[in-house]
Amino acid sequence: MNYNSNFDMDRILETLGTVNEKYPEGSQQDEALRIAAVALLYVRDIQKLDEYREYFRKFYIPAIESVIVSQTFETRDAADAWLANGTASEGELVRIAGQGFRVITERKGKGLMFLRTPLPEEME
């Protein structure tokens, strides 16, 4: 699921309030929702919302900067030719026509194949 780190704070607080109306005052759910709402208000009041947005983005799309694509191919045919030439290594991450794939061993162990593995930018 994609998460929007540029969320509308007022809309989120309104949604938390609407959800909270479904639970009795003093319940665990009421307490949790109030704590979440006040935490968001606190972040905004101390003017750290931009920092929180970055933290939120990194939390749901971790290590985006450390993902390294070893090869980029315009077409699947070009990628298959590269795979067939024997220079690919198991575990490599490649981009084929804008989509991520990992090089893995075929089930019967007789060679390598591509496994669809979304790149971080595909998840945003």
Side-chain angles (χ1 to χ4, degrees), residues 4-77:
N4 177 11
S5 63
N6 195 27
F7 56 83
D8 179 323
M9 174 70 85
D10 292 328
R11 188 178 52 79
I12 296 299
L13 291 170
E14 183 180 313
T15 301
L16 286 172
T18 300
V19 171
N20 194 35
E21 290 173 0
K22 298 177 182 178
Y23 298 102
E25 190 170 330
S27 67
Q28 288 181 341
Q29 295 87 348
D30 172 62
E31 180 182 28
L33 290 163
R34 286 179 190 270
I35 289 169
V38 171
L40 287 172
L41 287 169
Y42 176 75
V43 168
R44 181 169 65 185
D45 288 349
I46 65 170
Q47 299 178 351
K48 298 288 186 180
L49 186 54
D50 288 339
E51 290 176 31
Y52 177 74
R53 288 181 193 285
E54 181 61 18
Y55 176 82
F56 183 86
R57 185 190 68 77
K58 287 180 179 178
F59 186 87
Y60 281 103
I61 306 171
I64 191 169
E65 293 83 15
S66 66
V67 173
I68 299 171
V69 174
S70 67
Q71 301 284 329
T72 298
F73 303 97
E74 294 297 318
T75 66
R76 180 63 185 247
D77 288 342

Side-chain angles (χ1 to χ4, degrees), residues 78-88:
D80 287 338
W82 172 78
L83 195 62
N85 81 17
T87 60

Side-chain angles (χ1 to χ4, degrees), residues 101-115:
F101 292 83
R102 183 153 317 271
V103 176
I104 64 167
T105 302
E106 289 182 331
R107 286 187 183 175
K108 295 181 182 177
K110 296 186 178 196
L112 299 173
M113 62 181 271
F114 293 115
L115 174 67

